[in-house]
Each structure stands twice: as C-alpha cells, then as structure tokens.
Amino acid sequence: MKVALSVVLGVLFFHSPASAETGFLDRTVTIGATRYPYQVYVPADHTRARSWRVIVFLHGDGAQGQDGLLPTARGLADAIRFDRPLFPVVAVFPQAEKGKRWLAADMEELVMAELDQTMTEFGGDPRRVYLTGFSMGATGAYRLAYRWPDRFAALATIAGRVETSDIKTYSDREKAADRQANPFLSAADPFAALALKIKHLPIRIFHGDADETVPVDQSRRLTRALQAVQANVHYQEYAGATHVGAADKAYSERELITWLLTQHR
C-alpha cells in the first residue's frame, strides 16, 4: 500500500487510500512529537464519490485522556448509535489532553488538525462543517468559532461558558492562557465581543435552569448579545434540567439535528 505523507503547519498527516471502514473508527494525528488519538464516525453508506457533511463534537470535562474513546461514551455519540439514519454525516470526536481544557490554544489547534485530517480522508464538504459541544466543550466551541469564524456553517452549544475569570476550579495559568488565546475575554464586554465575531453563524444554545455547574446566565447573556447584533440565534432553556440533563435533552431532539444538517456556508 502506498502512503502519502504531508506536513502542514507542523502537523504530520498520513494519507492512505480510501477504505470501506465505517462506524466509529480509531484515528490519530501527530503534532510535533506527540501522538493524539481520536475517533471518527463514518456512516455505512460512505463513499468518496460524494462530499459529506461533518460534525465536530467537543466533550465536557472528565473525558480528557489518551484513549480516544471517552468522548464517545455519551452525548452526540449516543444519539448517533440510537438513530443512525438521522446522521448521514461524518462526525469527529477529538479528545483533550489530560489536565487541559478546550480553552487552551494548543487544544483548539488540535481540534482543527483532526478536522483537517478528517476532511481529507473522508471527503468532507468545507461548506457544511458543524461545531457542537457540551459544558467544557461548549465553552471551547465558542472559542473555536471565534478563532476560525469562516470554517463552520453552524454552532450548537449546551451549557457553555463565555467567561472563565470567576471560576475557582480553573487555575490562574488556565485563565491567563484563555485570555491569551481568545482575545474577546479582554474586552469590556466579552459577550458582546464574542457575539460580534460569530454573528454570521446560525446558532442554537441550550441550558437547563437548574444547572448546578455552569450558571444559566452565561447562556442568557450571550443570547441577548447575539440578538443585539441581529444574529440568527435560538435559545432553549429547559425547565428543571440539570447540567447533564440539558445535554441529554438537547442531543435527543431530532429537530436539532435536522436543523443543523440543513445549514451551509
């Protein structure tokens, strides 16, 4: 088998001929000297004769590691398993390094490297790439959409944060790294600064009003900021839903997925 090797921005990619592999597949990307595992879902009818919509899912806190598997333990991956015909897409499941969050610049760049590799290997359509995440993943999704505003066709977030400065469980180093990688946090109004940069995206935001981990006001304030700049945003607040409960509800909504997959740049 011939294998083509390319290097883009210091990221090492191995490209092999298209195979008949489908389902949840193990993949890796090597950045510098570090090898990062992740998973890609490929539908059973996948063919390189057409281009494919691509969903990027960012996991929440607790799924970090080096196995590549924890991000597929629940959330979007479960929704795919329970109703595969609803997902005629390729889905990417990055995994943050242990001890890191998606707000760090190197973890955000890891996501983009894995997305790029997936686009090349499985024939992704650059006009139809969707970004979604839960909790820490939603927090990261806001930051990826801010840094790469022209890469995504739509954004769906559940129980995410805009601000991190008041979180006691985040170290001073993490907060400083967040501000450095994501300049909107240094604005007088971070919500307005973020909204201005991502206002062109169709956006759906979900949160439970009984969230015990991320204050629901984070989503309410961002929604108001997006509405102020006439963004195409829809906010769903689940009465009585906890932090995890909001994710279970959102990803079980068929209408969310059908809406997401109709968006394009």
Side-chain angles (χ1 to χ4, degrees):
M1 178 185 293
K2 294 183 178 179
V3 178
L5 172 65
S6 63
V7 179
V8 180
L9 297 178
V11 179
L12 189 64
F13 294 110
F14 293 92
H15 306 308
S16 58
S19 71
E21 291 181 289
T22 62
F24 287 88
L25 308 178
D26 294 327
R27 288 296 184 268
T28 63
V29 65
T30 300
I31 301 178
T34 305
R35 179 175 172 270
Y36 296 93
Y38 64 103
Q39 290 238 314
V40 178
Y41 169 75
V42 181
D45 60 347
H46 180 269
T47 170
R48 288 303 301 267
R50 51 173 281 201
S51 59
W52 290 81
R53 292 168 288 196
V54 177
I55 298 178
V56 180
F57 170 77
L58 299 185
H59 65 75
D61 195 16
Q64 297 96 319
Q66 287 292 325
D67 61 4
L69 297 175
L70 282 176
T72 64
R74 61 182 309 162
L76 182 68
D78 267 356
I80 291 173
R81 292 185 185 100
F82 293 147
D83 193 356
R84 292 197 178 199
L86 184 61
F87 292 88
V89 300
V90 172
V92 190
F93 295 87
Q95 184 177 37
E97 190 175 339
K98 188 174 181 179
K100 291 191 176 182
R101 306 179 196 271
W102 296 123
L103 51 77
D106 60 339
M107 291 297 95
E108 294 168 358
E109 289 153 12
L110 171 65
V111 174
M112 300 307 292
E114 292 172 353
L115 171 59
D116 288 342
Q117 182 163 288
T118 300
M119 298 287 286
T120 299
E121 183 177 1
F122 296 105
D125 184 346
R127 301 168 303 165
R128 299 184 297 171
V129 179
Y130 314 112
L131 180 60
T132 185
F134 162 61
S135 188
M136 182 185 89
T139 299
Y142 292 141
R143 286 147 173 80
L144 263 74
Y146 177 85
R147 291 187 64 189
W148 290 275
D150 299 323
R151 288 298 303 272
F152 303 104
L155 178 65
T157 58
I158 301 102
R161 293 181 183 272
V162 174
E163 296 177 309
T164 57
S165 59
D166 62 342
I167 307 174
K168 294 181 179 179
T169 55
Y170 284 28
S171 68
D172 290 341
R173 178 185 55 81
E174 287 178 306
K175 294 173 185 178
D178 193 10
R179 290 191 299 272
Q180 182 175 2
N182 308 293
F184 69 87
L185 292 166
S186 299
D189 183 346
F191 294 88
L194 173 60
L196 194 62
K197 192 70 173 286
I198 65 174
K199 67 177 183 177
H200 63 289
L201 288 172
I203 300 170
R204 292 209 169 181
I205 299 172
F206 302 84
H207 217 124
D209 68 2
D211 194 312
E212 71 285 10
T213 303
V214 176
V216 67
D217 197 48
Q218 290 285 304
S219 290
R220 292 171 179 170
R221 290 176 67 185
L222 180 57
T223 298
R224 291 195 295 268
L226 287 163
Q227 291 170 337
V229 292
Q230 288 79 53
N232 177 7
V233 59
H234 173 79
Y235 176 53
Q236 174 69 52
E237 188 169 298
Y238 295 115
T242 61
H243 188 59
V244 173
D248 291 341
K249 287 178 177 292
Y251 285 128
S252 67
E253 289 194 11
R254 291 178 60 89
E255 193 274 335
L256 167 62
I257 305 305
T258 56
W259 168 84
L260 193 66
L261 299 185
T262 61
Q263 307 306 312
H264 59 84
R265 290 198 296 115

